[in-house]
Amino acid sequence: MRVEMKKYLIILSVISVLTGHAQVYDKMVLMDGSMVEGYITAQHPGKDIVFQSGDKEVSYPLEDILAIVYARRQADDLSGIDDVIETKAGKVYKGQIVKHLRGKAVYLYEDNGMTQIVSNADIACQRREKLNQEQRISEQAPFLDVVVTGDGIYKGVIILKDYGSDDHAAFLCILDEQGQQQKVDMAAVIELRREPNCLYAPVTAFRVGEKEVYFNRNLTGYTVYTTGRDGSLRIKRDILLQCPVIKDRRLAVETQDNESNRHGILVRCSLQGEGKKRVLLFSYKDMLTSPVPSVQTTTSSGTLRKEYVTEPGFYVYFVPQTKKAYVCEIR
């Protein structure tokens, strides 16, 4: 048989207390219009929600609660948990649960920027999936779920909540820290708690400043060059001695994503002269005829990343619109 969903629906969302970020609080909207900021620490199905606000932990009866509002992930977060809602009609919505209107509906924010409002009565089940496939889900959840029944205690991450049907009873599925799944009848749950997760290891995207250029995560300043009579661009020896040395033939150039940086070009250069007269040469013709090919991506944080496969030698990354050159040596 299906359970009365208003008893259980609130507890499945991820609590938004993010280690490594400025602390983000959830908001609980009460029936009298007031709002409390903090985070949920426990729920007793059908009875109350225990909410931590500042240094106080207070129990609020369900009938006093209008809604719970959850903060969205930061734009540069590369790890976390996605919420998946499946309806009785077979529709599937994936994103982040950002609001529960208690007893009525769930608000799900999708990656395309749309918000889906799904009625409680239409939900068949909810799942939770890891965002970063290279991490375990337990490393992406800031809190662990603790499910208490009359027969035992189960700790891990709730990855499935099935609200049941005429064919089966409602149940929870908990993934423990050893990767084992435990199935618990929802009707047997007497308390749901959350504990800080010591395994939580959030990953964020690398963010680049407006005028910064990085070679393999080494911050690089632009280089002064002169123009020869033949139109070649020349960089003097003393500047070469100060340029970053990259001991990897795979070079990643990272800048802020903007129109001028998208046209940046990597060129292998030639050395001419001896001793103090030694100079590095490259030309606009080199940029047109023999630029090093790249694979280009843009992260969610607005970082433009260009990846190159190089050979040992000196290279110049040149941005035509700003006429700035950045030099590195590949060894």
Side-chain angles (χ1 to χ4, degrees), residues 162-309:
D162 189 306
Y163 291 99
S165 67
D166 293 336
D167 299 323
H168 66 275
F171 65 91
L172 301 174
C173 188
I174 303 113
L175 185 69
D176 66 23
E177 294 172 278
Q178 288 71 46
Q180 301 297 314
Q181 294 188 23
Q182 301 289 338
K183 182 178 177 181
V184 178
D185 287 343
M186 207 177 288
V189 176
I190 58 177
E191 185 179 49
L192 292 145
R193 298 198 303 266
R194 292 194 189 269
E195 294 181 356
N197 181 9
C198 64
L199 298 178
Y200 183 49
V203 177
T204 58
F206 182 64
R207 188 182 291 274
V208 178
E210 182 180 358
K211 297 180 180 180
E212 294 176 339
V213 174
Y214 286 81
F215 290 151
N216 286 18
R217 299 291 166 89
N218 294 287
L219 181 61
T220 306
Y222 68 87
T223 299
V224 175
Y225 61 88
T226 59
T227 303
R229 293 179 181 179
D230 59 356
S232 63
L233 306 178
R234 298 166 176 255
I235 298 172
K236 293 183 178 180
R237 172 183 175 275
D238 56 344
I239 294 175
L240 297 183
L241 296 176
Q242 301 172 25
C243 75
V245 176
I246 308 299
K247 297 181 179 180
D248 190 339
R249 295 192 181 184
R250 293 187 176 275
L251 175 65
V253 178
E254 291 173 298
T255 63
Q256 193 174 91
D257 186 22
N258 58 45
E259 184 63 28
S260 61
N261 286 337
R262 290 183 204 126
H263 293 92
I265 301 166
L266 185 73
V267 180
R268 189 175 181 183
C269 306
S270 61
L271 279 172
Q272 290 189 8
E274 298 292 337
K276 293 183 178 181
K277 293 183 179 181
R278 202 177 194 192
V279 294
L280 184 66
L281 298 179
F282 63 105
S283 67
Y284 288 106
K285 182 179 178 181
D286 294 330
M287 298 179 206
L288 292 173
T289 61
S290 56
V292 182
S294 68
V295 175
Q296 181 172 305
T297 56
T298 301
T299 70
S300 59
S301 62
T303 297
L304 178 66
R305 180 182 175 91
K306 295 184 178 182
E307 297 182 47
Y308 304 88
V309 177

Side-chain angles (χ1 to χ4, degrees), residues 4-11 28-31 42-50 59-68 102-103:
E4 189 177 0
M5 293 175 59
K6 66 181 181 180
K7 293 182 179 180
Y8 296 93
L9 194 56
I10 291 178
I11 55 89
M28 182 164 62
V29 185
L30 302 177
M31 287 294 188
Q43 180 181 7
H44 302 98
K47 297 181 180 178
D48 63 9
I49 289 177
V50 182
S59 174
Y60 294 87
L62 288 184
E63 58 267 25
D64 291 347
I65 300 170
L66 175 63
I68 302 289
R102 194 187 67 79

Side-chain angles (χ1 to χ4, degrees), residues 24-65:
V24 178
Y25 296 102
D26 302 319
K27 299 176 181 179
M28 182 164 62
V29 185
L30 302 177
M31 287 294 188
D32 62 7
S34 62
M35 182 180 296
V36 184
E37 294 188 353
Y39 57 92
I40 298 169
T41 59
Q43 180 181 7
H44 302 98
K47 297 181 180 178
D48 63 9
I49 289 177
V50 182
F51 204 83
Q52 182 81 31
S53 181
D55 59 356
K56 295 182 179 179
E57 192 175 58
V58 180
S59 174
Y60 294 87
L62 288 184
E63 58 267 25
D64 291 347
I65 300 170

